[in-house]
């Protein structure tokens, strides 16, 4: 159903700093079509559920607090090879290791507060998109 689609979040650090517009502009310029988009704030519970796969990691509590502390922009993006191409566009998890020209290199603060999320597989893209959007919100 979401073939050639990925899911992204512009995280609270980037929204707080006023980077949402610049990030969306780069996403568009890189050939992604916006299928769905909205601004929301996740509750602590939402963030725990969204990141449940990381619940045993030492940074889990910090991640949940961070991701629920302010508004985020959530979106579904469409492009050929969307998942892999978007992971390339965002860059490494740690901005110090992110390549020049990537979104995390340009906009992230730290390994935790790293500006942008991108799904890591087609299966997770579908799960994460369905977490935030109903089929009536996909265009
Ligand atoms: P990814 O976002 O590049 O896929 P994941 O390993 O899936 O990275 O981790 C999910 C999120 O958890 C990261 O984007 C980041 O916000 C946070 N995170 C990952 N590793 C660390 C860490 O070592 N310290 C603090 N936060 C981390
Ligand atoms: Mg990940």
């Amino acid at each position: 159903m979401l073939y050639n689609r990925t899911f992204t979040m512009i995280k609270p650090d980037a929204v707080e700093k006023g980077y949402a517009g610049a990030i969306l502009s780069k996403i568009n310029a890189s050939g992604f079509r916006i299928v769905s988009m909205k601004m929301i704030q996740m509750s602590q519970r939402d963030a725990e559920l969204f990141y449940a796969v990381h619940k045993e990691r030492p940074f889990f509590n910090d991640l949940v607090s961070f991701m629920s502390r302010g508004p985020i922009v959530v979106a579904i993006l469409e492009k050929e090879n969307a998942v892999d191409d978007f992971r390339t566009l965002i860059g490494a998890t740690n901005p110090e290791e992110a390549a020049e020209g990537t979104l995390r290199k340009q906009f992230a603060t730290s390994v935790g507060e790293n500006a942008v999320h991108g799904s890591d597989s087609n299966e997770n893209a579908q799960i994460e998109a369905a977490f935030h959007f109903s089929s009536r919100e996909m265009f």
Side-chain angles (χ1 to χ4, degrees), residues 11 51 53-54 57 87 93 104 117-120 124 128:
K11 297 185 181 188
Y51 282 112
V53 65
H54 293 307
R57 308 279 286 275
R87 292 292 301 200
T93 307
R104 282 169 168 170
H117 168 85
S119 306
D120 63 7
N124 283 335
E128 292 170 1

Side-chain angles (χ1 to χ4, degrees), residues 98-127:
E100 284 301 328
T102 62
L103 295 176
R104 282 169 168 170
K105 178 75 177 184
Q106 187 171 358
F107 298 108
T109 308
S110 65
V111 65
E113 304 202 1
N114 59 7
V116 189
H117 168 85
S119 306
D120 63 7
S121 66
N122 283 336
E123 186 192 3
N124 283 335
Q126 197 159 340
I127 291 167

